Amino acid sequence: MPRELRTLLTEDLLARIHERAATHDRDNTFPHEDLAELTAAGYLRAFVPQRLGGAGLTLEEVAAEQVRLGAAAPATALAVNMHLVVTGLAAQLLDRGDDSAEFVLRDAAAGEVYAFGNSEAGNDLVMFGSRTRAERQPDGGYRFTGTKIFTSLSPVWTRLATFGLDDEDPDDPRLVHAVVGREGVTTKDDWDTLGMRATQSATTVLDGAYAPPAQVYRRLPPGPSADSFVFALFSVFEILLGAVYTGIGRRAIELAVANARRRTSMKADGRAYAQDPDIRWRIADAALLQDGAELQVRALARDVDERVDHGARWFAQLVGLKVRATESARQVVELALRASGGGSYFTGNELGRLYRDVLAGIFHPSDDESAHATVAASHLGPPD
C-alpha cells in the first residue's frame, strides 16, 4: 500500500497562488502575498521538528509538496525552495545526531526567512571552492567579502546561508559555511530575466557580512568531502530542485490535455483534437516522461529519509536526478506546446510562461557537464 504523505498546502491555497503567478511574471515582482500565505500555513517550518514548533515533514513529503507548488507557481516554488534547502539540510543533520545547524531550525520556527547565497559567477568548482573571502575574527566568527549570484528571496530574506574561503593559513585553507544577517550586505536591483521572474534572485554583495561563532557550522578543506554536511546539502538541494521542475511538467500536461479537449479540427468534421492520433501520441510521450520523473523524485527522497546505502554512487544518483528531472520537464513542456497549437505562443499564455520558466533548470547545479563527470567516475573511476 502506498504511504500516506502529510500535507500543508490546501487546494484553495494553491489555487490562489496560481492565480497570482502570471501577474508577478508580467510585472517582474516578488510574490509577497504568496509568502505570507505559505508562512501562515506553516510551510516555512515544514522541515522543523515538531518538538521545535514545526511540522516535522520528511524529505519525501516536502518534495511531494514542492511538486504541487511548482505546478501552481514555478517561481514561487523555486524561491521558497531555497529556504527549504537550508532548513532541510539542518533537519537532516539533526536527525543523524549532528546539532551544528540546529539554530537554523530554531530561527525558522521563530519566523526567520533563509536564503541560500552560495553561487558565484565564474566558479565552476561550485561547492568545492569559492571566490568569496572568509576572514576569521578574534571572537571565532567570520566576515565574508564577495559577490553571490542567483540569491532567491532577495527582497525578504532575514538570514543568508553562505560560504567563503579562509586562506589565512596557506597550508590549511578552509571553506567556511555560516549564516549572516543583512548588515554588510547589499542587494542589487538586477533581476530581469527570461523566466522565473518572481523569484527575484538578485545579485548579493557581501562587504564584511558577519557570522557569529555560533552560526559557523562547517570549516572544510577545499574540494570534494565525505563530511555529512556536504551530503545533506546535495541531497536536499538536488531532490527539491528536481521536485519543482517536475511540478512544471505536471502542469504542462494538464494544460495540454485541456487544450486537446477544447480545440476542434475542421479536417476531422469538428471532432476534438483529443481524438487526433498525433496529438494523443505527443501527450502520451509527455506523460511517459512525467511519470518517470515523479517516481524518481519520490523514490530518491524516500531513500534519503530511510538512509538507504547507495555507497559511492549516492552523488551520481543525486546529480542524475537533477539532470533527468529538469531535462524531462523541458521536454514535457515542449511536447505540451506542440500539442496545444499556436495560441500558446502568445504573451500571457500559461504554457508560454512555463516554457520560459522551465529553461532555468539548465543553469542550476549540477550542470550537465558536472553531472556527466560524476556519473562517469562512479562507473569508470576518475580519469587519468
Side-chain angles (χ1 to χ4, degrees):
M1 297 244 340
R3 69 179 68 196
E4 184 175 345
L5 301 181
R6 293 169 292 174
T7 180
L8 298 172
L9 303 177
T10 66
E11 292 301 326
D12 285 346
L13 172 56
L14 291 171
R16 291 193 298 273
I17 289 174
H18 176 258
E19 188 175 354
R20 294 188 285 259
T23 299
H24 289 299
D25 173 73
R26 183 195 66 213
D27 297 344
N28 193 24
T29 52
F30 183 80
H32 289 279
E33 197 171 350
D34 292 0
L35 183 65
E37 289 207 64
L38 290 169
T39 300
Y43 198 56
L44 272 64
R45 302 191 306 275
F47 276 123
V48 177
Q50 291 178 342
R51 67 176 179 83
L52 297 180
L57 298 191
T58 65
L59 181 56
E60 182 185 4
E61 288 170 327
V62 176
E65 292 283 69
Q66 281 296 87
V67 172
R68 297 173 66 220
L69 186 56
T76 294
L78 187 60
V80 174
N81 217 54
M82 299 309 144
H83 172 90
L84 294 173
V85 166
V86 182
T87 56
L89 74 87
Q92 186 181 133
L93 290 173
L94 187 61
D95 183 59
R96 287 149 174 77
D98 180 345
D99 63 359
S100 60
E102 183 176 338
F103 71 91
V104 169
L105 301 170
R106 294 186 182 278
D107 277 356
E112 303 292 352
V113 177
Y114 271 85
F116 189 61
N118 283 3
S119 296
E120 299 167 341
N123 178 9
D124 57 359
L125 292 173
V126 193
M127 296 303 302
F128 300 144
S130 179
R131 294 174 179 268
T132 297
R133 184 170 180 79
E135 295 180 281
R136 190 176 182 91
Q137 303 301 297
D139 64 356
Y142 274 86
R143 290 196 179 275
F144 293 84
T145 302
T147 300
K148 304 294 184 177
I149 59 173
F150 297 130
T151 313
S152 299
L153 297 169
S154 284
V156 298
W157 65 261
T158 62
R159 299 284 187 271
L160 181 70
T162 191
F163 84 130
L165 180 65
D166 174 6
D167 58 0
E168 184 176 359
D169 181 353
D171 295 325
D172 187 26
R174 293 282 162 163
L175 291 172
V176 181
H177 297 265
V179 172
V180 302
R182 283 277 184 181
E183 186 177 353
V185 178
T186 302
T187 298
K188 292 186 177 182
D189 183 15
D190 62 353
W191 189 249
D192 188 7
T193 51
L194 178 68
M196 291 294 187
R197 288 158 62 81
T199 64
Q200 292 300 296
S201 305
T203 298
T204 301
V205 180
L206 307 176
D207 187 12
Y210 174 66
Q215 292 177 193
V216 178
Y217 44 77
R218 280 300 188 278
R219 296 179 69 256
L220 301 174
S225 171
D227 192 280
S228 59
F229 166 80
V230 175
F231 178 78
L233 173 57
F234 268 85
S235 61
V236 178
F237 183 89
E238 300 288 55
I239 288 170
L240 293 187
L241 190 69
V244 170
Y245 285 87
T246 298
I248 297 176
R250 179 186 288 188
R251 178 58 181 164
I253 290 177
E254 290 174 356
L255 292 169
V257 168
N259 289 332
R261 289 173 172 165
R262 175 184 56 80
R263 296 172 62 230
T264 57
S265 169
M266 292 179 63
K267 186 169 62 177
D269 298 324
R271 285 192 302 169
Y273 272 101
Q275 303 304 315
D276 184 296
D278 293 327
I279 299 297
R280 295 175 69 87
W281 179 276
R282 288 196 191 281
I283 292 177
D285 238 8
L288 287 168
L289 289 167
Q290 182 65 24
D291 288 347
E294 298 216 12
L295 290 169
Q296 288 177 62
V297 168
R298 287 279 300 275
L300 202 58
R302 188 182 312 129
D303 281 359
V304 173
D305 289 332
E306 296 179 354
R307 308 188 197 186
V308 172
D309 184 11
H310 287 294
R313 297 217 66 237
W314 249 121
F315 285 96
Q317 297 281 10
L318 292 167
V319 300
L321 172 67
K322 180 270 172 180
V323 170
R324 289 191 299 273
T326 55
E327 287 298 309
S328 291
R330 184 178 57 79
Q331 293 171 51
V332 167
V333 174
E334 185 169 326
L335 286 164
L337 282 166
R338 291 178 181 273
S340 295
S344 56
Y345 193 60
F346 278 81
T347 300
N349 183 279
E350 186 176 356
L351 261 178
R353 172 164 55 83
L354 295 184
Y355 185 66
R356 290 185 288 106
D357 283 347
V358 81
L359 292 177
I362 296 170
F363 302 105
H364 299 293
S366 295
D367 61 22
D368 256 7
E369 294 82 4
S370 174
H372 278 77
T374 299
V375 173
S378 76
H379 286 285
L380 301 169
D384 294 335

